[in-house]
Amino acid sequence: MFHVIEKEMRWRKDNGRPEGFDALKRSKPVIAVGADEPLGGEHAEPPNTITLIAIGPLTTLATAAAHFPRTFLRAKSVIVMGGAIAAPGNMTPVGEFNTIADAVAAARIYALTSPEPESTMPPFGSATALPDYPSNEELGERRLRVVKFPLDITTRHSLRRGEVHAKIKPLTERGSPLAEWVMAFTDHSFMKMESLHHGETEVSLHDPVCIWYAIATEGGEEREGWEFVKGEDIRVETIGQWTRGMCVVDRRDRKKALEGEEKVDGDMGEWLSWKKGNRIDRCVKTPGERVLAGLLLDTVFGK
């Protein structure tokens, strides 16, 4: 991909067009497979300065959190693309790929949002070699902020074949290396989607929605148009035969216990407890479901 981008920048320069890719020039990406130090330079950074974006299974993050939990909790937030709440899954009726791929890792990361992480940790017998988290006293009061983008919101943001062709076909005719490369793999993606689904062909922008949010909130403030369910108790099923990777929420119309109250009778799993369960911020609205496609195409290929 980087080779194609280099050819694209030369082509744009030769044709009197803005080269673009300024962010890529300023901060060249680091690609590390199986890194010995998964937290990189986070040890040396002040709290609330690093945002982690997870657009795949949470295995590496769970490993980092298990071995360096207090350092991991210094992160400003963890943005997660994964799971399904009310929407159907894309691997099973209730399971989304990233969460199913390592359900234990997802459960462990989400547990760090809880006042009592042990209350939502995977049960004994779940397949993992990772150590338990330290006690609450050792962890301290700080907890992780997880910003979750499940299929419920990401699936509604998509690229359509017509808008992709309208943008890049004129560029391929002029010899753009990037347009030719993108046309090749997007055509294959659209054909695959046509074989699986009815109706107009679209490719969902699951991962780009997360990046869009991270860029939009880079200055530390939430921009207009983004809406979240704050502090939602979302737990991950890790051992179910048919439900592994399912994101479970409490749909009962029950009152939660007030702070200081004891366990609520008939509440298995203590979903109604004031001090147990996870606290996840789930995205339910963006600045526009059709906004991202145009923004993405204009950012990559220019206006």
Side-chain angles (χ1 to χ4, degrees):
M1 180 179 72
F2 297 119
H3 174 62
V4 173
I5 291 175
E6 288 175 358
K7 290 173 62 178
E8 176 72 10
M9 287 191 289
R10 287 197 298 270
W11 175 82
R12 292 182 183 183
K13 184 177 181 179
D14 292 343
N15 286 272
R17 303 170 65 91
E19 288 185 33
F21 304 103
D22 293 333
L24 187 63
K25 295 173 187 174
R26 288 194 306 269
S27 304
K28 292 193 175 182
V30 176
I31 300 175
V33 179
D36 294 329
E37 180 51 85
L39 287 182
E42 188 176 342
H43 294 281
E45 298 297 328
N48 294 318
T49 57
I50 292 181
T51 296
L52 303 171
I53 306 175
I55 54 175
L58 298 181
T59 308
T60 301
L61 293 189
T63 301
H67 293 292
F68 306 100
R70 295 198 62 167
T71 300
F72 193 81
L73 289 174
R74 292 158 62 92
K76 179 181 176 181
S77 62
V78 176
I79 299 173
V80 175
M81 188 280 121
I85 308 301
N90 58 9
M91 294 296 289
T92 71
V94 295
E96 175 273 334
F97 173 81
N98 290 341
T99 309
I100 284 181
D102 198 337
V104 170
R108 290 179 63 100
I109 291 295
Y110 292 2
L112 286 174
T113 70
S114 174
E116 294 192 4
E118 69 275 10
S119 68
T120 60
M121 284 284 281
F124 178 77
S126 298
T128 182
L130 297 177
D132 291 336
Y133 292 136
S135 65
N136 278 1
E137 290 73 19
E138 292 177 278
L139 277 178
E141 295 183 359
R142 186 179 177 89
R143 289 295 179 266
L144 189 65
R145 183 186 182 222
V146 170
V147 185
K148 184 177 177 65
F149 290 80
L151 293 179
D152 308 61
I153 189 71
T154 62
T155 303
R156 303 204 302 259
H157 298 73
S158 62
L159 274 177
R160 296 170 179 168
R161 184 194 284 268
E163 61 192 353
V164 172
H165 280 200
K167 185 70 178 182
I168 67 177
K169 189 173 181 180
L171 295 173
T172 62
E173 293 171 350
R174 297 187 190 117
S176 163
L178 181 61
E180 292 173 355
W181 183 69
V182 171
M183 180 73 85
F185 76 75
T186 54
D187 272 350
H188 177 77
S189 298
F190 283 122
M191 286 189 289
K192 179 65 175 178
M193 296 304 292
E194 285 175 348
S195 71
L196 297 173
H197 302 282
H198 299 289
E200 185 175 4
T201 305
E202 300 180 341
V203 174
S204 294
L205 299 172
H206 301 295
D207 300 343
V209 175
C210 298
I211 307 301
W212 183 23
Y213 170 75
I215 294 172
T217 58
E218 185 178 7
E221 297 181 2
E222 302 235 336
R223 299 295 189 262
E224 183 178 352
W226 298 93
E227 293 183 9
F228 295 84
V229 176
K230 299 278 190 176
E232 188 173 24
D233 187 2
I234 303 173
R235 308 185 192 183
V236 178
E237 174 58 57
T238 59
I239 58 176
Q241 180 181 4
W242 309 117
T243 58
R244 182 170 60 86
M246 179 182 182
C247 290
V248 184
V249 296
D250 190 354
R251 304 182 192 279
R252 300 172 297 175
D253 186 18
R254 297 282 302 275
K255 290 183 178 179
K256 281 190 170 288
L258 299 176
E259 185 170 345
E261 288 185 345
E262 297 297 323
K263 179 179 178 181
V264 178
D265 289 340
D267 180 33
M268 294 182 64
E270 298 191 72
W271 289 85
L272 304 176
S273 169
W274 61 274
K275 63 180 180 179
K276 298 189 177 182
N278 297 325
R279 308 286 189 272
I280 293 172
D281 294 346
R282 174 169 63 92
C283 184
V284 294
K285 185 180 178 183
T286 71
E289 295 173 9
R290 295 306 311 156
V291 171
L292 181 56
L295 179 62
L296 178 63
L297 291 171
D298 286 345
T299 300
V300 174
F301 296 103
K303 294 183 179 180

